[in-house]
Amino acid sequence: MTVRRQAELGANLAAVRARIAAACGDVGRDPAEVTLIVVTKFFPASDVRLLSGLGVHDMGESRDQEAGPKFAEVRADTSGLRLHFIGQVQSNKAASVARYADVVHTVDRPKLVAALERGAERAGRALDVLVQVDLDRPDPTRSAPDGAQLPAEPGRPESHRGGVASTHALDLAEAVAACAHLRLAGVMAVAPLHEDPDPAFARLARTAAAVRARFPDAVWISAGMSGDLEAAVRHGATHLRVGTAILGSRPPLR
Ligand SMILES: *Cc1c(COP(=O)(O)O)cnc(C)c1O
């Protein structure tokens, strides 16, 4: 069973690495500058161990209640893992996430910056942090005529993808940079559903450049998943977050 799963993960991993190499080749990038984060949410600790054995050091998780216990277990016997938290962080979960995550990709509001800073300080840790940018096109039904934001509509896909408007990304980056226990690493985004990812990732690249102009060390661009990693590579992604193409389909949510 384990041997078969290991072979399956190994083959999928090789296929994804080949896709990344081809995408880099198309635009003259060195694949060594692109980090593959394997998203292990919904999959067991045993898969994380197999992936580690296959040379994967960067893992992504999106739910605190799952990631905390799973990585406490895996880390007891596996060294060198870097855990990337890629899900929405409720402010009351920030202290928990700050105890075990190495990188938080989804910082999208000042209140969360403050909560992560407090959590990291209390845990005696330093966290790498990315500002999550909302790439969904401005939707006229979501803003009032005077430009004020109406509350997000629950149930709409974009309303729980999160992210700060690109116009506010620099302000949030400033807030992160002011924190002693947070290191501003760059920006992150999820491409909008049902839309060509290329123009969306091009927008992200522009926001990333603006942040980098102010904070030269903030060079990460976390973008691209199983379905759109080629587009992300074309637009300068440094970190890809790939789940399904390596681990298979996740069970439906709840
Ligand atoms: C689940 C998830 C991924 C991985 O998506 P796949 O399509 O399975 O590769 C990437 N990024 C985020 C933010 C996710 O929640």
Side-chain angles (χ1 to χ4, degrees):
M1 198 60 197
T2 299
V3 172
R4 204 169 71 205
R5 182 62 168 157
Q6 184 177 34
E8 179 181 25
L9 293 176
N12 291 347
L13 197 55
V16 167
R17 291 204 188 282
R19 281 175 63 189
I20 295 170
C24 284
D26 284 346
V27 292
R29 294 187 63 194
D30 178 356
E33 64 188 48
V34 178
T35 300
L36 172 62
I37 299 166
V38 178
V39 179
T40 50
K41 67 187 181 199
F42 290 95
F43 288 93
S46 56
D47 280 346
V48 178
R49 291 198 183 88
L50 289 174
L51 287 162
S52 171
L54 291 163
V56 174
H57 306 296
D58 292 272
M59 310 287 178
E61 288 281 337
S62 62
R63 303 187 306 164
D64 175 61
Q65 70 274 26
E66 174 186 352
K70 190 194 294 185
F71 276 77
E73 184 192 332
V74 176
R75 278 186 157 142
D77 56 33
T78 310
S79 60
L81 289 184
R82 185 152 64 156
L83 176 53
H84 300 254
F85 198 88
I86 63 168
Q88 295 303 294
V89 187
Q90 295 160 267
S91 298
N92 65 355
K93 296 288 174 62
S96 171
V97 170
R99 279 195 290 275
Y100 60 81
D102 299 297
V103 188
V104 178
H105 286 231
T106 40
V107 170
D108 62 357
R109 58 197 190 278
K111 190 179 171 194
L112 179 57
V113 173
L116 285 171
E117 166 66 8
R118 273 196 309 278
E121 180 174 24
R122 235 179 290 147
R125 305 183 71 227
L127 295 180
D128 284 336
V129 155
L130 304 178
V131 168
Q132 183 179 357
V133 179
D134 182 1
L135 295 181
D136 286 306
R137 263 192 303 213
D139 177 345
T141 64
R142 284 178 67 208
S143 52
D146 64 357
Q149 281 287 298
L150 294 177
E153 295 165 53
R156 289 190 59 136
E158 65 266 38
S159 69
H160 54 248
R161 300 189 139 219
V164 69
S166 58
T167 45
H168 291 126
L170 203 50
D171 289 343
L172 200 57
E174 303 265 3
V176 171
C179 292
H181 300 82
L182 305 181
R183 190 185 77 84
L184 179 69
V187 297
M188 173 273 199
V190 178
L193 287 171
H194 315 303
E195 225 190 281
D196 181 357
D198 268 282
F201 288 145
R203 293 200 291 280
L204 178 65
R206 284 195 292 276
T207 303
V211 170
R212 210 163 50 231
R214 172 81 178 77
F215 301 101
D217 293 336
V219 295
W220 291 25
I221 301 178
S222 166
M225 323 199 314
S226 293
D228 56 19
L229 68 87
E230 285 84 0
V233 166
R234 276 195 288 279
H235 295 285
T238 62
H239 290 70
L240 307 174
R241 310 174 309 266
V242 179
T244 313
I246 292 168
L247 289 137
S249 303
R250 290 180 286 274
L253 250 174
R254 262 161 278 264

